Amino acid sequence: MTSYTFPQFPKHALLQKVKDSFVKRFLTDKASIRYLEEGFIKATDIPFVRFIGIKEKEEILSLDLKKNVCNHVETIHAAAQFTLAETESGMRLQSLFPELEQKVIPLVRDAQIKYKKPAAKKITAHSFVEEEAIEKFKTQFGKKGRALLQIRVEIRDIDDTLTSETYITWFVQARLDENV
C-alpha cells in the first residue's frame, strides 16, 4: 500500500474568535477545551463517554453492567450501547488516519443500529471498515477536503453474544482554523 499525503488547506482567524466565544460561554470541561485548542481529543476523554464509564483496555472498549447504564428491565440501555458503538467508531476513525489528527473535524452524519439480544452482561465493541471504503475516503478527502466513511460496529457481551450492530457514517472536514 502506498503512502498518501493529505493536502493542506487555508487557515482562518474568524474560527478562532468563534471558538474563544463558545468556550467562554459554554465549556468548562478541560477535555473539550483542549479539543478546541489543540484539535484532538481521544474518544474516551469525551465527557459523556467518561460519564457512562466506557473503558479502554488493550485497544478494546467495554462497558460494565451497572445500575447507571441500565434500563427498566435491568439490561444495558439502548443509548449506552449506542454510545459504546459510536465511541468505538470514532476510535477506529482515529486509528485509520493518524496523519489527520489536529487537521480535521469529524462528526457523525448518520447512524443505524439494530438491537439483537438484551445486553445483560459486560459488553465490548468491535469495529470493521471495508478497504474499498477507506480508499474512497482518501480519494474524496484529497479532492474536496471532506469525505464520508462508514464504520460497522458489533457490540458483544462477554459470552460473545451479539447484542447490537451499528453502521455509523462519519463526515470528516478539514479544519480551516489557525491550529492546522
Side-chain angles (χ1 to χ4, degrees):
M1 185 173 178
T2 61
S3 115
Y4 183 80
T5 303
F6 288 92
Q8 296 298 313
F9 295 93
K11 303 173 184 181
H12 295 283
L14 178 61
L15 285 179
Q16 184 63 45
K17 291 179 184 178
V18 172
K19 285 192 311 187
D20 292 344
S21 173
F22 183 80
V23 167
K24 288 177 186 172
R25 288 186 293 157
F26 299 107
L27 294 180
T28 56
D29 182 87
K30 290 178 183 176
S32 297
I33 292 170
R34 189 175 67 243
Y35 171 73
L36 290 174
E37 290 174 346
E38 299 174 14
F40 175 80
I41 187 171
K42 188 173 180 181
T44 51
D45 288 338
I46 293 170
F48 185 71
V49 171
R50 284 197 331 257
F51 175 74
I52 68 167
I54 292 175
K55 298 175 185 165
E56 179 184 18
K57 184 176 182 183
E58 297 175 9
E59 298 185 8
I60 295 177
L61 295 182
S62 65
L63 182 62
D64 292 331
L65 177 70
K66 54 191 175 184
K67 188 175 183 175
N68 73 323
V69 296
C70 283
N71 57 24
H72 60 292
V73 293
E74 298 182 359
T75 61
I76 297 178
H77 195 283
Q81 289 190 62
F82 176 81
T83 301
L84 179 60
E86 192 265 349
T87 304
E88 170 64 23
S89 72
M91 297 286 281
R92 174 53 68 100
L93 184 66
Q94 288 176 324
S95 73
L96 287 171
F97 306 106
E99 68 277 10
L100 294 181
E101 282 182 19
Q102 300 180 320
K103 297 178 182 175
V104 298
I105 299 172
L107 296 168
V108 171
R109 166 67 61 88
D110 182 64
Q112 299 171 353
I113 188 164
K114 183 163 186 171
Y115 298 96
K116 306 282 192 172
K117 299 273 185 186
K121 301 175 182 178
K122 177 180 181 174
I123 55 177
T124 58
H126 311 275
S127 58
F128 309 90
V129 184
E130 299 202 10
E131 190 63 36
E132 182 179 308
I134 294 170
E135 294 306 316
K136 183 178 177 181
F137 174 89
K138 288 178 181 179
T139 300
Q140 191 177 38
F141 191 87
K143 287 180 182 176
K144 298 182 178 184
R146 62 184 184 276
L148 298 171
L149 182 69
Q150 185 177 74
I151 299 174
R152 180 173 65 90
V153 180
E154 293 180 354
I155 302 298
R156 296 185 170 274
D157 70 16
I158 56 174
D159 293 331
D160 203 35
T161 300
L162 181 65
T163 65
S164 64
E165 182 177 42
T166 307
Y167 290 86
I168 296 176
T169 302
W170 285 89
F171 173 74
V172 180
Q173 170 73 51
R175 291 176 62 109
L176 301 175
D177 63 356
E178 296 178 335
N179 292 329
V180 177

